[in-house]
Amino acid sequence: MKGIGLATSPSWYCSKVSGCNVNGLLAFGGRNSIIFLDATAEPPVFLGWICQFRNRINSLAWNVNIERLGCSGDEDGKVHVWDAETQTVIAEKQNIHKNKVTVVDWLCSDVVVAADDRGHIFTWRFSHDDVQYFHPEPQAVTCMSCSPHTSTNIAIGYKSGLLLVFDLSKKGKVLHKLRGHDEEIQSLVWCPNLTDDINKPGDDCVNERDLSRGSLASGSRDRTIRLWCLAKERSLSTLRLPTSNSSRSHGDDQSARSRTYLTLLWPKNMPNELISSSHGGEMLQWSLGKSGKGKYQVFRAGVSSSTHSRTIFNIVQVSPDTLCSFSMDRQIILWDFPALCSKSTIPTVGGVVTALAVSSQTGRLAIGCGDALLRTWNLGSSGSFYDVQSFWQGVKAKVTAVAWHPVKEGWLAYATEEGRVGIYDVLSTKGPMLSSSYHRGTIYSLVWGKPCSVDGSHDAGPWFFTLFSCGDGVIFQHNPSRLQDEAEDINTLIRTTNNLKLKLPMRTEIAWKPNFSIAAIGNDDGSIELFAATSLRLVCTLHAHCKIINCLRWHPEFTQASSGASRCSCWLASGSNESDVLVYDLTAVLDKKSNIDSGTPSEEARSPRLITECSQLLSGHKNRITSLAWSSHVDGLLASVSYDGTAQVWNALTAAPIANFRGHQNRVLCVEWSQSDADLVYSGGEDYTVQSWRVTEQEFRTPPEQKSKSKGKHKGSKRHHQPTETEAVKASTEDSEKLPAGQQEMNNVGQLLEEKRQQLLLDAGKVTAEKVTAREVNVVSATEAFVGTGGSFGQQVSEVASSAEDILPEDLHLTVSVSAPQAAVESEKISRHASLAGKPKKKKVKSLLPVCSGHDNRGKHFAYQDCILLSDLFYGSETVKTEAAERSSHLGLFTDRRGVFDLLKTEGLHHQKMGNIDYQLLLEIWKGNIGGTLKTASEKNCLSDYLVAVASISSQDPACWRPVCHQFAKQLAAEENHQRAVLYLLACNDVYAALDLLLEHGMYREAVALGKCRLSSRDPVLVKIYLAWVCQLSKDGNYELAAKCLLAIRKPADAASLLAKRADAYCLKVAAHVCTRAADDGRARAHVLRYVQHCRLAGNLQEVVDTLGVHRQLKGYELACTVQQLLVTQLLHLTALPPDTAVARMEKLQYLPEFPVATGNATPPGSETDLTQPWRTLLLQEQPFLSFIAHMWDLHLPVTMATVAVAELYDDLRGNQQASGSQTNDETLIVFLSNEIAMCVLSLLLSDAGAAAVHLSNCLGTSGIVGRPDLLRSVCNLIFPYGNVLILLLPRVTGVIRHTSLTLQALGHTSVQF
């Protein structure tokens, strides 16, 4: 955790989850990690962490003899030994405990003692993997402490208030059983010094003979501290905590006792002083030789730090003059012991870090967390490095979004998981201002922006900014001066301003441009819409993503690196559930908006633009993008974070990765740049940390490759595979060959111990020879871990080996994991597997509609054909409808009632053929043919109970059988016999209840069939059924069947949007067809543009021309296709393009002849030459390449050369052209060059030589051609055959072409083929 800002909070309600070694290195357990803090530094700094654990750390302890070693225990019953210098686990013991470990401690240098919440106590010598087991009391162990004076003695406190002292050298003999506390013991400490006396009030001193056996202090939930004399087995003194102010005022003693946690510290070399926690976060120093009011003193707040406000769980001594405490208020406080005051406060984080925001005015970092606290970190504070304020009033839930006011200093808006919105003034002590409007679910985005209204005027109070919150698919506008009023749903404004009638998409993100002129809104279908302030007029739609938009971020207007406005000020970055970050250069869009705002443009000019390609594609992350941040120091520097657990910095100008930060141990959710340091970035995520890191110090440039997941049905089989005896022996042999001699010797000793253990088990008759399998010794001993590092640690272990022999009994060294709890675990596993093996598998119910299901499961191609058929049936002409009706017999669920009856008839015949008479009769009853069904059943002798029940419909007194039928239907539903339950509900004529039952259990086909048979075609329940089916199908990824459902309820736009999510060529074509049939030209145009792009990249030019024949407004792309075919032909001839690319194998346009190839050795007309021309002149039929293109269009395309027509063609191409930096392969490069050359020729036909020069410059300046000299030379040969002279000749040549073309068209002449 190098460079961490805020660490994970220490675990609560643990008696020993922190400690400090002799060097002043603090360690504490937080969540599933161990964090190291250098408490001697100023300010204190986090040095790292160990995060290899899967479960919560409940306890840890430092080794007294070897300061670099520590041990810990977790919720899963595992005990670990770790090295603080390497920050790795060097030994781990599994299955010692069946239950969670509550406390661990060191008995000697290589022996760990651990206890759990069932009273089991284990000692583990990790260097030999020896384990000994004790179970003196069947109750939870709450605290434990090993004696620093007698290495074999250990004190244990229980939940009942019992205190025991053991002697482990005598096989766990109980030396002392001390009773005096009424409730659980929460802390135990030994007197640090036996040579000094501990004075008792009223007595001179305790007998020195008593002190020779040791003294002990215990703290309990009963709010008392007891000093014990082990020699007399009695309490020397009882100290009672002072009464708290809260308990006196409320009088609730039981409540105060339940909140009490009494932890103790006996300072080294100070036997007459004792430190304890008290009520409400107070810390007391007890003078054991005094009585009365002067027997304790309260620690107070220092000059630049505070005290705890909630319960303290641990107190640790860092040095003789420094103490450290850990509290429920998520603060770590360092105390000046002699002065009894705090000197440093270190905040921590107790939840997922979901949001970060840096104030440009104060430099404060706002932090939103999952622990229901809102924090602000003053990064520029001169008094303290950890100057963090916490706000809790009005929050009450996970903070999911934060936003600083752009003008009002100190105003911070926040949003929560419960849909609440509030505003804090962090520079005052007032509570938050809360909005009276709530979202139904989590709010994911919160921004300040200009007030929006239909007429462009809005009263937003004195600051002229309103607050926009995005959650549960809608965006609310909150007026900060009138938060008590109901917030406005901006979808209403968008509908009114843009005159929209269709259903709007679900809103997922909103971002305002820094100058508040444009608002970008992200949607769940992957589209991004740009709206002009303040009327929310739609300016442009970006549709390059296919999945839900998660984050949007505009580039700053100004950066420190730019002298004026940033060249990237119109850039927008977006992230979605895809792994790529897209960057759009919207300069042209915003320039057009400015021109519209300043003048009176035509209706066509005011129409919104559609962009389907990004300017830069930033690929590298391996999972969804969660947050983005632009640097305010350098142009184009972008930071992104992802679910892949890394943070990435990009140079968006070149799409190059710069640095990758891998310090987080879980998914990263938010990122922000520092306002004062151009190299510093802050990020937070699900590992409960806020980390600060420098870009230039990162080792990696790109995120790591994800491990490939195992394929096949049994994905988890490898992970849970237990090695056989042969595999275990082979693995151990291979490993031993790779180890040094010292480590091989340790392994041989472990194998001998394992063989001896099995022999003892066999002799005792506990297991049979068939059940004994070779087990791998699951330990990496400390000696193994430090071999080759100088042998210092191995030497220390050998020095304490003799003392360990004296401490532990002889049988411990030959007893490895032989314990009653482990036997119980094995027995429980066997019984669990036996019960699972005997459990019958759930029988799969046959489908009532197998024919329909079979048609729906034929594949995506057939589903696309069904969508086309339904659109023709609903929206086509009468002839088309008649033809479609003849081929739609299997689509009865999506048509009308007659179609459903025909489908059920077909299904009934299928059931009759297959022998399923019951299903056939059931379908007939659904159709309402009860009499015919009973007659058929009687004739075939297949009457049943449910048919007899159906016959009771004709009864004259339904009051008797109707409740019975309802009850029986509930019983059948509980037995998962849903079809019979529906039948009895129908017998009661309760169709709606039957439909609800089918929907509740996911039987959507049956629900549609029944609803269409029994309900009116206008009944809204049918729409509800279809929408529920669509929701489930969308979750399952079956977009084709979902589209059929949407077409059935006449929602073609939504059906097309679902089909377009596949993002393959044919589905886009089908989506365009559906929109075209439904007269939705705007959406049809968007899908056609994406389809055209796919076809051009694949070389299917004829398919593009055929498709554009239906969409006349996109004829400009037909010109680009002709240029693409001509360009590819010439580049292949010049060997500048590989023949194996998709565009090289293109399908040529049928109406174009074979193109000639360019020839050389020509001279420019007249006497003009370019002496600096570095290439030979190439002409096509004695014409320059660009002039030849104009002739080709004039001769072979039905396109008029009138100025208006040429301008429209130019606008078609320019409005959707991708930027010059996004060409990543030959296919995208050829398409880009073709578009630019086509626009160049059109510009010349419009006599706009300046625009033509820009397009030619784009051809040569794109990133895909710069690094390829052969391709660059060939393109220059074609478009600049005369060098720079062509720039002067082209306007004259193309002007002649255009004049000749117009003359011929006026005379009615046809052009001559070349």
Side-chain angles (χ1 to χ4, degrees):
M1 199 183 299
K2 296 178 180 179
I4 183 175
L6 302 181
T8 310
S9 296
S11 300
W12 290 358
Y13 296 102
C14 298
S15 62
K16 196 173 184 179
V17 78
S18 60
C20 185
N21 67 2
V22 296
N23 297 325
L25 179 61
L26 270 173
F28 62 89
R31 201 166 169 253
N32 58 349
S33 58
I34 295 175
I35 300 97
F36 299 103
L37 174 67
D38 185 1
T40 61
E42 187 58 40
V45 61
F46 291 97
L47 298 182
W49 64 354
I50 302 176
C51 49
Q52 305 172 14
F53 315 109
R54 294 187 177 182
N55 299 281
R56 179 177 182 256
I57 300 297
N58 290 329
S59 179
L60 64 81
W62 285 98
N63 193 311
V64 179
N65 300 315
I66 308 173
E67 63 274 7
R68 61 195 293 183
L69 286 188
C71 64
S72 58
D74 62 20
E75 293 269 3
D76 198 31
K78 296 179 183 177
V79 179
H80 326 89
V81 176
W82 36 265
D83 179 15
E85 288 190 4
T86 61
Q87 296 179 7
T88 56
V89 176
I90 62 174
E92 180 179 273
K93 191 64 177 176
Q94 301 183 14
N95 300 326
I96 290 185
H97 292 272
K98 181 181 177 181
N99 308 290
K100 71 175 182 179
V101 177
T102 55
V103 64
V104 295
D105 206 345
W106 288 92
L107 193 62
C108 63
S109 296
D110 64 340
V111 178
V112 178
V113 186
D116 63 23
D117 60 351
R118 295 295 179 89
H120 303 113
I121 301 170
F122 291 85
T123 59
W124 172 38
R125 175 180 281 183
F126 70 92
S127 60
H128 295 81
D129 197 33
D130 295 340
V131 176
Q132 189 176 15
Y133 161 74
F134 307 98
H135 193 201
E137 289 289 334
Q139 55 178 306
V141 176
T142 55
C143 56
M144 179 176 66
S145 180
C146 294
S147 173
H149 317 296
T150 306
S151 57
T152 58
N153 288 4
I154 179 173
I156 295 180
Y158 290 91
K159 192 168 185 177
S160 63
L162 177 64
L163 195 157
L164 299 181
V165 178
F166 295 93
D167 186 354
L168 294 182
S169 65
K170 299 179 181 180
K171 298 185 179 180
K173 178 183 177 181
V174 177
L175 299 179
H176 307 287
K177 182 175 287 189
L178 308 176
R179 296 185 181 274
H181 290 292
D182 299 329
E183 297 188 41
E184 71 172 88
I185 299 177
Q186 297 173 329
S187 181
L188 286 173
V189 289
W190 292 87
C191 178
N193 193 344
L194 291 179
T195 60
D196 296 333
D197 295 339
I198 304 177
N199 294 329
K200 174 188 174 184
D203 294 344
D204 294 333
C205 66
V206 180
N207 192 307
E208 187 173 350
R209 184 171 174 271
D210 297 339
L211 292 175
S212 64
R213 299 293 299 274
S215 293
L216 188 67
S218 61
S220 171
R221 185 186 290 274
D222 60 12
R223 296 183 289 182
T224 63
I225 303 170
R226 290 184 178 269
L227 303 177
W228 302 91
C229 177
L230 300 185
K232 297 182 179 181
E233 290 193 353
R234 68 180 180 87
S235 173
L236 295 177
S237 178
T238 301
L239 307 176
R240 298 186 180 277
L241 294 183
T243 306
S244 64
N245 295 330
S246 60
S247 62
R248 283 197 300 268
S249 59
H250 294 85
D252 190 356
D253 184 71
Q254 186 63 32
S255 176
R257 180 170 297 186
S258 64
R259 296 192 302 269
T260 300
Y261 198 93
L262 209 167
T263 184
L264 302 175
L265 170 68
W266 215 324
K268 296 178 182 179
N269 302 320
M270 299 180 68
N272 292 320
E273 304 293 333
L274 187 67
I275 310 299
S276 77
S277 61
S278 186
H279 306 284
E282 287 185 344
M283 211 161 76
L284 308 178
Q285 180 191 25
W286 298 87
S287 297
L288 303 182
K290 296 182 180 180
S291 61
K293 294 184 178 180
K295 64 181 177 181
Y296 69 86
Q297 299 182 66
V298 181
F299 284 74
R300 65 183 187 279
V303 177
S304 59
S305 60
S306 60
T307 60
H308 290 296
S309 59
R310 302 183 71 181
T311 305
I312 298 175
F313 294 114
N314 283 179
I315 304 174
V316 178
Q317 186 171 13
V318 178
S319 66
D321 297 334
T322 304
L323 304 181
C324 181
S325 58
F326 304 84
S327 168
M328 187 185 283
D329 61 8
R330 308 194 188 281
Q331 291 188 351
I332 302 172
I333 297 183
L334 298 178
W335 303 86
D336 187 342
F337 188 17
L340 297 182
C341 66
S342 59
K343 63 178 183 179
S344 181
T345 302
I346 307 167
T348 59
V349 178
V352 176
V353 181
T354 56
L356 295 175
V358 176
S359 171
S360 59
Q361 301 161 345
T362 63
R364 295 175 183 262
L365 177 66
I367 306 170
C369 299
D371 56 2
L373 287 177
L374 177 65
R375 295 174 174 85
T376 60
W377 186 0
N378 188 1
L379 302 175
S381 174
S382 58
S384 173
F385 176 76
Y386 295 104
D387 185 4
V388 177
Q389 285 182 284
S390 298
F391 305 91
W392 58 271
Q393 292 181 343
V395 180
K396 299 182 180 180
K398 177 194 293 185
V399 179
T400 55
V402 292
W404 291 98
H405 195 284
V407 176
K408 178 64 175 178
E409 184 176 348
W411 272 30
L412 176 62
Y414 69 92
T416 69
E417 189 179 35
E418 295 179 346
R420 183 190 297 266
V421 175
I423 303 174
Y424 255 109
D425 185 355
V426 301
L427 302 181
S428 71
T429 58
K430 297 180 180 179
M433 300 177 288
L434 298 178
S435 174
S436 61
S437 299
Y438 292 81
H439 288 267
R440 293 194 303 269
T442 304
I443 299 175
Y444 294 104
S445 181
L446 190 68
V447 294
W448 293 91
K450 282 294 183 181
C452 299
S453 60
V454 176
D455 56 358
S457 62
H458 195 290
D459 180 15
W463 309 113
F464 301 102
F465 287 97
T466 55
L467 189 60
F468 295 83
S469 61
C470 179
D472 52 74
V474 298
I475 298 177
F476 287 161
Q477 180 181 206
H478 308 265
N479 190 333
S481 62
R482 294 197 301 269
L483 289 177
Q484 70 278 6
D485 296 345
E486 184 178 358
E488 298 180 76
D489 185 351
I490 69 168
N491 278 347
T492 305
L493 303 179
I494 292 174
R495 287 180 181 277
T496 304
T497 303
N498 299 279
N499 193 23
L500 298 178
K501 304 298 182 182
L502 298 174
K503 177 184 176 182
L504 296 179
M506 300 285 285
R507 309 299 188 183
T508 60
E509 175 70 350
I510 179 172
W512 279 86
K513 199 171 183 297
N515 62 1
F516 300 101
S517 62
I518 289 287
I521 296 179
N523 304 314
D524 65 337
D525 60 357
S527 63
I528 303 169
E529 296 174 319
L530 305 183
F531 295 93
T534 57
S535 63
L536 293 183
R537 176 180 57 83
L538 182 61
V539 176
C540 181
T541 301
L542 313 175
H543 211 312
H545 287 287
C546 295
K547 296 184 179 180
I548 183 173
I549 302 298
N550 293 329
C551 47
L552 297 171
R553 189 64 73 95
W554 288 93
H555 193 282
E557 291 288 321
F558 304 92
T559 61
Q560 294 183 6
S562 58
S563 56
S566 172
R567 55 176 171 169
C568 307
S569 59
C570 296
W571 284 21
L572 174 66
S574 64
S576 69
N577 275 7
E578 301 161 316
S579 59
D580 296 331
V581 179
L582 306 186
V583 180
Y584 306 87
D585 184 357
L586 302 174
T587 304
V589 175
L590 300 184
D591 289 345
K592 177 181 177 182
K593 172 190 172 295
S594 301
N595 295 333
I596 293 174
D597 294 341
S598 60
T600 56
S602 63
E603 188 65 27
E604 180 180 359
R606 293 179 61 90
S607 60
R609 292 179 58 179
L610 174 66
I611 297 177
T612 59
E613 295 291 335
C614 63
S615 302
Q616 294 287 14
L617 178 66
L618 310 180
S619 299
H621 282 296
K622 303 303 183 293
N623 210 323
R624 68 180 61 177
I625 309 300
T626 54
S627 182
L628 300 167
W630 291 99
S631 171
S632 60
H633 303 273
V634 182
D635 289 343
L637 206 57
L638 177 66
S640 62
V641 293
S642 167
Y643 266 20
D644 62 12
T646 67
Q648 180 70 39
V649 177
W650 311 86
N651 182 353
L653 297 172
T654 61
I658 295 178
N660 181 255
F661 176 68
R662 305 181 183 181
H664 287 281
Q665 301 302 321
N666 212 322
R667 299 185 294 193
V668 191
L669 303 180
C670 48
V671 65
E672 275 291 342
W673 288 85
S674 170
Q675 292 289 324
S676 58
D677 192 336
D679 194 40
L680 191 61
V681 182
Y682 297 93
S683 58
E686 291 185 348
D687 56 3
Y688 290 33
T689 62
V690 177
Q691 303 210 30
S692 58
W693 45 277
R694 295 192 173 275
V695 178
T696 56
E697 294 178 357
Q698 302 312 307
E699 178 182 358
F700 305 98
R701 295 186 59 190
T702 58
E705 294 293 333
Q706 286 187 334
K707 296 180 180 179
S708 60
K709 299 181 179 179
S710 58
K711 298 182 180 180
K713 286 187 176 181
H714 306 286
K715 295 183 179 179
S717 58
K718 284 189 177 182
R719 182 175 58 183
H720 300 291
H721 170 67
Q722 297 294 332
T724 63
E725 183 174 357
T726 304
E727 293 171 343
V729 172
K730 181 179 179 181
S732 62
T733 303
E734 292 176 353
D735 292 341
S736 63
E737 293 175 355
K738 301 177 183 178
L739 296 176
Q743 295 185 2
Q744 292 184 14
E745 183 178 354
M746 290 295 299
N747 283 352
N748 293 336
V749 173
Q751 293 176 4
L752 290 175
L753 291 174
E754 179 67 17
E755 294 173 2
K756 182 63 177 178
R757 183 186 69 84
Q758 295 181 6
Q759 185 64 35
L760 291 174
L761 291 176
L762 289 172
D763 294 342
K766 292 184 179 180
V767 293
T768 60
E770 290 80 3
K771 293 183 180 179
V772 178
T773 58
R775 292 189 181 180
E776 197 176 3
V777 179
N778 187 19
V779 63
V780 181
S781 68
T783 304
E784 295 171 355
F786 287 88
V787 168
T789 60
S792 59
F793 178 69
Q795 184 177 357
Q796 294 179 40
V797 171
S798 63
E799 290 174 358
V800 300
S802 59
S803 62
E805 295 289 343
D806 298 334
I807 293 172
L808 301 177
E810 293 181 359
D811 57 348
L812 175 62
H813 308 300
L814 297 179
T815 305
V816 183
S817 302
V818 184
S819 61
Q822 184 169 353
V825 171
E826 298 295 335
S827 175
E828 183 180 348
K829 289 182 179 178
I830 294 173
S831 62
R832 188 185 302 117
H833 290 311
S835 63
L836 291 177
K839 188 177 180 180
K841 292 184 178 180
K842 188 176 179 180
K843 189 175 181 180
K844 187 176 181 180
V845 181
K846 292 183 180 179
S847 174
L848 275 174
L849 307 173
V851 176
C852 177
S853 300
H855 279 84
D856 288 339
N857 295 329
R858 291 177 300 172
K860 290 190 291 185
H861 177 73
F862 292 97
Y864 294 147
Q865 296 298 328
D866 290 343
C867 292
I868 293 176
L869 199 59
L870 286 173
S871 62
D872 292 344
L873 185 62
F874 296 146
Y875 304 105
S877 61
E878 293 300 326
T879 304
V880 173
K881 288 183 178 180
T882 303
E883 295 176 355
E886 296 175 354
R887 297 182 287 119
S888 61
S889 60
H890 63 288
L891 297 175
L893 296 181
F894 310 99
T895 56
D896 52 8
R897 176 174 292 185
R898 180 178 296 276
V900 172
F901 272 78
D902 293 341
L903 176 63
L904 294 184
K905 180 179 179 181
T906 304
E907 298 284 1
L909 294 176
H910 174 78
H911 286 306
Q912 182 180 5
K913 181 179 178 181
M914 302 302 295
N916 300 326
I917 305 301
D918 288 344
Y919 281 16
Q920 181 188 12
L921 297 176
L922 184 58
L923 292 178
E924 288 296 323
I925 294 176
W926 282 21
K927 292 163 61 176
N929 186 17
I930 299 176
T933 302
L934 294 174
K935 181 179 179 181
T936 303
S938 301
E939 292 174 353
K940 295 186 178 182
N941 296 323
C942 55
L943 283 172
S944 61
D945 57 345
Y946 65 87
L947 290 176
V948 175
V950 172
S952 64
I953 293 178
S954 60
S955 175
Q956 298 298 323
D957 186 14
C960 296
W961 57 264
R962 185 165 300 201
V964 176
C965 286
H966 268 285
Q967 187 63 32
F968 191 42
K970 292 181 180 179
Q971 178 182 334
L972 291 173
E975 296 172 356
E976 297 188 359
N977 196 342
H978 310 305
Q979 295 166 355
R980 291 187 62 191
V982 169
L983 183 62
Y984 277 92
L985 291 173
L986 292 178
C988 303
N989 200 25
D990 198 346
V991 180
Y992 293 109
L995 292 174
D996 290 339
L997 180 62
L998 293 173
L999 288 178
E1000 182 181 354
H1001 295 89
M1003 304 172 72
Y1004 300 103
R1005 283 189 177 85
E1006 290 80 357
V1008 171
L1010 178 59
K1012 289 233 171 184
C1013 287
R1014 290 299 188 94
L1015 301 179
S1016 168
S1017 59
R1018 297 182 180 180
D1019 198 313
V1021 174
L1022 289 175
V1023 177
K1024 172 187 173 183
I1025 295 172
Y1026 276 116
L1027 291 178
W1029 196 4
V1030 168
C1031 182
Q1032 184 60 41
L1033 292 170
S1034 300
K1035 291 180 180 178
D1036 298 339
N1038 193 348
Y1039 298 132
E1040 297 77 20
L1041 186 54
K1044 290 160 66 173
C1045 294
L1046 291 170
L1047 287 173
I1049 56 177
R1050 308 303 192 269
K1051 293 183 178 293
D1054 295 338
S1057 298
L1058 277 181
L1059 290 172
K1061 284 191 174 184
R1062 290 291 186 201
D1064 57 49
Y1066 193 70
C1067 76
L1068 292 173
K1069 183 177 181 180
V1070 174
H1073 179 89
V1074 171
C1075 292
T1076 302
R1077 287 294 188 187
D1080 190 353
D1081 295 336
R1083 296 180 187 269
R1085 174 188 173 93
H1087 298 316
V1088 167
L1089 282 176
R1090 297 176 65 186
Y1091 175 64
V1092 165
Q1093 185 72 4
H1094 275 277
C1095 292
R1096 293 185 65 189
L1097 293 175
N1100 300 328
L1101 301 183
Q1102 187 60 44
E1103 178 66 21
V1104 174
V1105 174
D1106 295 342
T1107 303
L1108 295 178
V1110 183
H1111 302 274
R1112 294 294 179 182
Q1113 68 274 27
L1114 299 175
K1115 293 297 290 183
Y1117 285 91
E1118 186 174 357
L1119 303 181
C1121 288
T1122 61
V1123 175
Q1124 180 176 341
Q1125 180 174 335
L1126 178 60
L1127 179 63
V1128 171
T1129 302
Q1130 304 305 320
L1131 292 179
L1132 288 175
H1133 171 67
L1134 298 173
T1135 67
L1137 187 67
D1140 57 346
T1141 58
V1143 291
R1145 301 188 300 270
M1146 62 183 174
E1147 177 187 1
K1148 297 183 178 180
L1149 299 176
Q1150 299 176 358
Y1151 58 84
L1152 293 180
E1154 287 294 331
F1155 289 131
V1157 295
T1159 57
N1161 302 325
T1163 57
S1167 58
E1168 297 173 333
T1169 59
D1170 185 1
L1171 300 179
T1172 64
Q1173 177 182 340
W1175 52 79
R1176 64 194 182 96
T1177 301
L1178 293 179
L1179 300 178
L1180 282 79
Q1181 291 186 346
E1182 303 302 325
Q1183 299 181 68
F1185 181 69
L1186 301 181
S1187 298
F1188 185 83
I1189 291 174
H1191 276 293
M1192 177 185 63
W1193 289 347
D1194 185 43
L1195 295 174
H1196 299 286
L1197 294 179
V1199 177
T1200 176
M1201 290 299 170
T1203 302
V1204 177
V1206 173
E1208 291 176 353
L1209 295 174
Y1210 178 79
D1211 290 338
D1212 284 344
L1213 287 175
R1214 185 176 179 271
N1216 297 280
Q1217 171 66 331
Q1218 58 184 346
S1220 60
S1222 58
Q1223 291 73 50
T1224 57
N1225 51 39
D1226 289 338
E1227 288 77 7
T1228 56
L1229 178 62
I1230 291 299
V1231 171
F1232 175 79
L1233 293 176
S1234 303
N1235 291 348
E1236 291 292 339
I1237 293 174
M1239 288 188 286
C1240 172
V1241 176
L1242 290 173
S1243 299
L1244 292 171
L1245 292 175
L1246 293 171
S1247 301
D1248 190 350
V1254 170
H1255 292 300
L1256 292 178
S1257 175
N1258 292 340
C1259 291
L1260 303 180
T1262 179
S1263 59
I1265 197 174
V1266 170
R1268 302 175 62 179
D1270 295 338
L1271 182 60
L1272 179 61
R1273 186 181 300 108
S1274 299
V1275 172
C1276 289
N1277 283 341
L1278 292 173
I1279 64 178
F1280 294 114
Y1282 301 130
N1284 297 334
V1285 177
L1286 182 68
I1287 301 299
L1288 302 175
L1289 295 178
L1290 278 179
R1292 188 164 65 245
V1293 174
T1294 52
V1296 174
I1297 294 171
R1298 180 172 177 275
H1299 176 73
T1300 305
S1301 175
L1302 292 175
T1303 303
L1304 291 174
Q1305 291 179 10
L1307 296 176
H1309 288 231
T1310 57
S1311 302
V1312 181
Q1313 301 290 332
F1314 57 80

